[in-house]
Amino acid sequence: MANTIKYLLLLLATTFTVLHISCDTKERNKPALIPLPQKLQWNEQVFNLKDSSNSFKQRIVPQIEGVPFNKEEAYKLIITNDSVVLEATSTKGLFWGQQTIKQLGYNKKNGRYLTGCTIIDWPAFKLRGFMQDVGRNYQSLSMLKEQIDVLAAYKMNVFHLHLTDNPGWRLESKIYPQLNSPESMSRWAGQYYTQEEFIDLVNYCSQRHITLIPELDLPGHSRALRKALQVETMKDPLLKKVIPELFNELCKLVPADKMPFIHLGTDEVWHEYEQPDPELLAALIENIKSRGREVIVWRPGIEIKNDSSSVTQLWSTAGSPKPGHRYLDSRLNYLNHLDPLSGIPQLYFDRICGVAHGDSVKLGGILCCWNDNNVSNEYDILKQNPVYPGILTYSEIAWKGQQHNTEDKYLAMFPDFNDPLFSEYCNFESRLIEHRDKYFQNKPFPYIRQTEMEWSIIGPFNHQDDVNRSFPVEDSICEKYFVDSLEYNWKERIIGGTVHLQHFFGYPSYFPKASGTYYAFTRIWSPKTQKLDVWIGFHDWSRSGGRRGGPFPDKKEWHNTNPKVWVNNQIIEAPNWQQPNLKTQTEEIPFVDENYFFRQAQSIELKKGWNAVLLKIPIKNNTWKRMFTFVPVMKEGENFSEVRNLIYNSEIKLDTKK
């Protein structure tokens, strides 16, 4: 324990390195904590980290008063002028408390200090996880460890590793080495984890109180397996021998106390050749249980005969909990479908398992990154999906719990700006941005403050299947319009940098689902004439299913629906795409510049004073995402931040002389 204290003091007194921090030189009275503790009281005192380690105490205690559940991960922290006292009922609790202490540190010219407070804290859910799919796209150990470090810093305790899929079997088998041959893989040929590397990764997680859950996904998603073993179908008699041996080999690598869960997959068995022998999966579950492991299966998924004990992981809204089974929730949180500015509020307002906190059945949730599309560089998975802002947001809801039961009301739009829930989100957004700037320098973190941005939106005008048709909005901004004998009025004060007109998964949004042309309008006040970079996007692209909603636009088009952007009546040209006109089914062609947050931002010029921004947003029947983005950004190296001193106002009648 003494060595642990010395190490922690050294870490705090120098630089918090686990997230590649750049030192914060700003004294703070109330540091931004993520996840927010359950009980927090500031005491206006500070602790000088130059003080003797005798003033820093951490200890295991029998119990912590006031903790209702998940007591084994709870901790109590008291920081005053003369001492730091951290108590927990386990080493896990001490570790989570240490992560909070790291966030409480700040620098002054004469040293480093901790902000005084009293915290009693515990997690809302027992299992709080993140999943990466390395079956489709291999990721190096260093890249996985970078993500694991982030999970640990934010009190996430599960790393779900999807090791196998159609493109490749990524875990070494010494009894069936043909599984790892380049010939069996359609992507990242020959790239896999040796058994020694896998054990190292499990240990790396365990040292950070994270449980690694390996998934060998069967009987669907099994092309690489069938190709390597030269079998046509999952009913082949050979597999009744091979598959149990593969799981036995996996179980022998790591003891059950360190790797208590094994994931079987079982989802998306679409084809007859993927149907297994009726007895195979049931026997497999019993075999894995006999080795002291819990079994996890996807739901929806193939029904397994006599399965009464598996943990089910829900992966879509079609997946409801299986009666009598414990379950994990992954229904609304696929990062590969989420755009950063709309996805982060969705994660924030979602209720894991539909409740404020878990129990013996509702175990928690796992945030998923299914970058189904091929990538040309492994780190593109972190650049082209909102992984880090997503992890931080999910950690807040998995640890603190979403207390408000709003169902799906705010999964695709913000609460009204006068609603206390909006103020709560603004508070979280401020903390998220502070963590972005402190801990993620030169790491992909595509989130910009958007709660000060607002729009008025009108439509849909009937374009009669002609997305190029113009409407009077393009000529002048009026309170209302009469077109084809119909009256059109603006919806005002719609908040956000990205706005879903209708959500692709059907969550409540601003307009009923219909084709037609919409217009979005706002004014931006600038304190000076300046050139700015802007994130601009329409009907954005998921990183799965190729170019879903395609084809991809031609050069000089923003989208295949031909949207338009005007700033002060000047048209803003679309990018000169590197890969124009790609069809929908192009999942083997990696993304390059498709989405607004990882391509070069568009340049615009604002004049001093008010500037009018008008977007034309046509929608066709097959338009999938039905959204737009317009966000000024500052770029420094690899990092994005807010453009300072801009003011937004979307009132149609505005006295610009005020």
Side-chain angles (χ1 to χ4, degrees):
M1 188 69 74
N3 289 336
T4 302
I5 292 174
K6 289 179 181 178
Y7 172 75
L8 183 59
L9 283 170
L10 178 63
L11 189 63
L12 290 167
T14 55
T15 304
F16 172 17
T17 59
V18 70
L19 294 183
H20 310 279
I21 179 176
S22 62
C23 290
D24 178 31
T25 58
K26 181 173 60 175
E27 180 180 359
R28 298 196 55 84
N29 292 323
K30 295 181 180 180
L33 299 181
I34 298 178
L36 197 65
Q38 302 287 357
K39 295 182 180 179
L40 167 64
Q41 183 176 358
W42 304 107
N43 60 23
E44 308 305 324
Q45 299 187 52
V46 295
F47 179 80
N48 189 338
L49 282 164
K50 288 184 178 180
D51 291 349
S52 166
S53 61
N54 292 330
S55 301
F56 195 114
K57 304 289 185 183
Q58 59 178 3
R59 50 183 175 245
I60 302 291
V61 296
Q63 66 176 356
I64 297 175
E65 295 293 334
V67 176
F69 41 77
N70 295 327
K71 299 180 180 182
E72 72 281 1
E73 292 190 271
Y75 66 92
K76 181 177 182 180
L77 175 64
I78 301 176
I79 299 176
T80 62
N81 287 333
D82 53 14
S83 68
V84 177
V85 179
L86 174 61
E87 296 179 338
T89 60
S90 70
T91 55
K92 277 186 183 180
L94 290 179
F95 185 78
W96 302 138
Q98 291 164 7
Q99 308 318 304
T100 300
I101 291 172
K102 292 171 185 176
Q103 294 186 22
L104 289 167
Y106 66 93
N107 291 344
K108 288 202 301 187
K109 291 182 179 179
N110 60 344
R112 187 157 176 82
Y113 296 81
L114 297 178
T115 304
C117 59
T118 297
I119 292 174
I120 299 176
D121 204 8
W122 64 90
F125 291 92
K126 185 178 181 65
L127 298 181
R128 310 171 301 280
F130 173 64
M131 188 228 72
Q132 274 289 13
D133 171 12
V134 297
R136 291 184 177 90
N137 288 292
Y138 174 85
Q139 298 178 39
S140 65
L141 283 184
S142 61
M143 181 169 155
L144 293 178
K145 287 179 177 180
E146 177 186 316
Q147 295 167 76
I148 291 165
D149 285 342
V150 175
L151 297 180
Y154 291 95
K155 305 183 178 68
M156 301 278 272
N157 66 355
V158 166
F159 183 48
H160 175 180
L161 194 59
H162 182 83
L163 283 161
T164 69
D165 212 288
N166 287 323
W169 189 280
R170 304 295 180 191
L171 179 61
E172 179 189 21
S173 173
K174 293 185 177 179
I175 55 176
Y176 296 102
Q178 62 267 45
L179 287 170
N180 310 123
S181 68
E183 293 76 19
S184 71
M185 301 181 184
S186 59
R187 292 183 192 165
W188 298 83
Q191 294 285 358
Y192 64 92
Y193 307 99
T194 67
Q195 293 186 359
E196 291 74 18
E197 288 174 327
F198 177 77
I199 293 169
D200 174 60
L201 199 62
V202 173
N203 289 334
Y204 195 85
C205 287
S206 182
Q207 292 160 7
R208 290 153 180 79
H209 297 279
I210 293 171
T211 298
L212 188 147
I213 297 178
E215 179 184 356
L216 306 182
D217 194 359
L218 299 168
H221 299 273
S222 56
R223 187 188 309 129
L225 171 79
R226 288 181 279 111
K227 187 175 181 181
L229 298 175
Q230 298 182 1
V231 300
E232 295 294 328
T233 79
M234 294 302 290
K235 284 190 174 75
D236 192 292
L238 176 65
L239 298 182
K240 294 182 70 174
K241 173 180 180 291
V242 171
I243 290 176
E245 289 180 340
L246 288 171
F247 280 93
N248 290 344
E249 186 179 29
L250 171 61
C251 289
K252 289 177 182 178
L253 295 179
V254 181
D257 61 340
K258 191 174 287 187
M259 193 173 71
F261 296 99
I262 302 291
H263 204 305
L264 295 188
T266 74
D267 64 313
E268 296 187 321
V269 182
W270 303 130
H271 308 287
E272 179 61 30
Y273 56 78
E274 295 171 321
Q275 292 287 340
D277 182 285
E279 307 299 324
L280 175 63
L281 296 179
L284 194 57
I285 285 179
E286 292 305 313
N287 181 46
I288 294 171
K289 286 169 57 181
S290 73
R291 297 178 179 275
R293 319 295 172 132
E294 299 267 16
V295 175
I296 303 177
V297 297
W298 290 107
R299 185 172 172 89
I302 192 169
E303 291 294 329
I304 302 173
K305 184 179 178 181
N306 298 324
D307 173 21
S308 61
S309 62
S310 65
V311 176
T312 57
Q313 185 172 351
L314 311 182
W315 67 271
S316 80
T317 52
S320 57
K322 190 173 182 179
H325 287 241
R326 296 161 296 161
Y327 71 95
L328 292 159
D329 194 351
S330 295
R331 285 175 289 191
L332 305 180
N333 60 28
Y334 280 21
L335 291 172
N336 49 292
H337 284 314
L338 301 184
D339 295 274
L341 295 172
S342 59
I344 295 310
Q346 176 182 321
L347 293 176
Y348 180 83
F349 286 110
D350 179 32
R351 266 190 151 195
I352 296 171
C353 298
V355 294
H357 61 80
D359 55 29
S360 60
V361 174
K362 302 175 181 69
L363 300 182
I366 296 179
L367 176 68
C368 297
C369 185
W370 299 101
N371 201 113
D372 296 352
N373 288 356
N374 195 8
V375 296
S376 57
N377 181 294
E378 64 170 357
Y379 211 74
D380 283 347
I381 294 169
L382 299 185
K383 290 181 178 179
Q384 297 178 2
N385 299 282
V387 171
Y388 288 148
I391 288 175
L392 270 62
T393 306
Y394 203 72
S395 78
E396 172 99 354
I397 303 309
W399 181 277
K400 176 71 172 174
Q402 177 50 266
Q403 303 302 310
H404 305 286
N405 183 15
T406 59
E407 297 181 338
D408 61 358
K409 188 175 181 181
Y410 299 126
L411 299 182
M413 57 182 179
F414 281 112
D416 185 82
F417 61 91
N418 291 319
D419 191 320
L421 287 178
F422 183 71
S423 296
E424 287 188 21
Y425 182 82
C426 290
N427 174 276
F428 170 73
E429 181 181 62
S430 294
R431 288 185 283 125
L432 185 68
I433 287 169
E434 184 164 329
H435 278 246
R436 177 199 69 191
D437 294 343
K438 288 178 69 176
Y439 305 132
F440 290 89
Q441 290 297 304
N442 297 317
K443 299 294 178 186
F445 202 100
Y447 189 84
I448 300 293
R449 186 186 302 278
Q450 60 174 329
T451 50
E452 297 171 351
M453 302 175 187
E454 60 178 62
W455 299 90
S456 289
I457 300 176
I458 196 168
F461 295 91
N462 185 357
H463 56 45
Q464 300 175 349
D465 294 325
D466 178 9
V467 295
N468 297 313
R469 184 181 177 188
S470 297
F471 295 94
V473 186
E474 298 176 31
D475 300 321
S476 61
I477 302 300
C478 304
E479 289 186 76
K480 62 179 64 176
Y481 299 88
F482 292 90
V483 176
D484 298 333
S485 302
L486 296 176
E487 179 179 321
Y488 292 87
N489 294 278
W490 296 89
K491 284 189 178 181
E492 295 187 300
R493 204 76 191 271
I494 293 175
I495 304 296
T498 291
V499 176
H500 279 283
L501 301 170
Q502 300 109 24
H503 196 275
F504 51 102
F505 286 150
Y507 308 142
S509 192
Y510 297 102
F511 296 90
K513 188 171 183 179
S515 62
T517 295
Y518 297 81
Y519 291 89
F521 174 77
T522 195
R523 294 181 183 86
I524 303 175
W525 185 87
S526 173
K528 60 183 179 180
T529 297
Q530 56 182 322
K531 287 189 175 181
L532 295 178
D533 287 335
V534 184
W535 283 344
I536 301 175
F538 296 91
H539 317 315
D540 220 11
W541 311 91
S542 294
R543 279 67 64 190
S544 65
R547 276 76 181 162
R548 192 177 304 201
F552 197 74
D554 199 352
K555 293 181 179 180
K556 302 302 182 180
E557 291 181 346
W558 283 104
H559 188 265
N560 60 48
T561 56
N562 202 19
K564 302 290 184 184
V565 184
W566 295 271
V567 176
N568 296 326
N569 296 317
Q570 297 296 311
I571 194 78
I572 305 300
E573 298 291 344
N576 188 16
W577 306 108
Q578 295 185 44
Q579 302 182 132
N581 290 319
L582 289 177
K583 302 301 182 184
T584 298
Q585 298 299 322
T586 49
E587 56 270 14
E588 295 305 318
I589 302 176
F591 276 25
V592 178
D593 59 355
E594 283 78 351
N595 295 62
Y596 64 81
F597 57 94
F598 56 81
R599 66 171 172 256
Q600 183 175 345
Q602 214 70 11
S603 179
I604 68 168
E605 182 171 313
L606 295 184
K607 64 184 180 181
K608 182 178 181 180
W610 289 106
N611 298 264
V613 178
L614 179 66
L615 310 181
K616 179 182 182 180
I617 313 151
I619 288 176
K620 298 186 291 188
N621 286 332
N622 65 347
T623 303
W624 191 46
K625 278 203 170 179
R626 300 171 178 244
M627 62 195 295
F628 68 85
T629 299
F630 186 97
V631 181
V633 294
M634 291 285 292
K635 190 173 190 295
E636 298 180 13
E638 295 298 316
N639 306 113
F640 290 98
S641 61
E642 295 71 30
V643 178
R644 296 178 181 177
N645 301 319
L646 299 181
I647 300 173
Y648 298 82
N649 191 307
S650 64
E651 295 176 49
I652 297 304
K653 294 184 69 176
L654 176 66
D655 183 0
T656 58
K657 296 180 181 180
K658 289 183 180 178

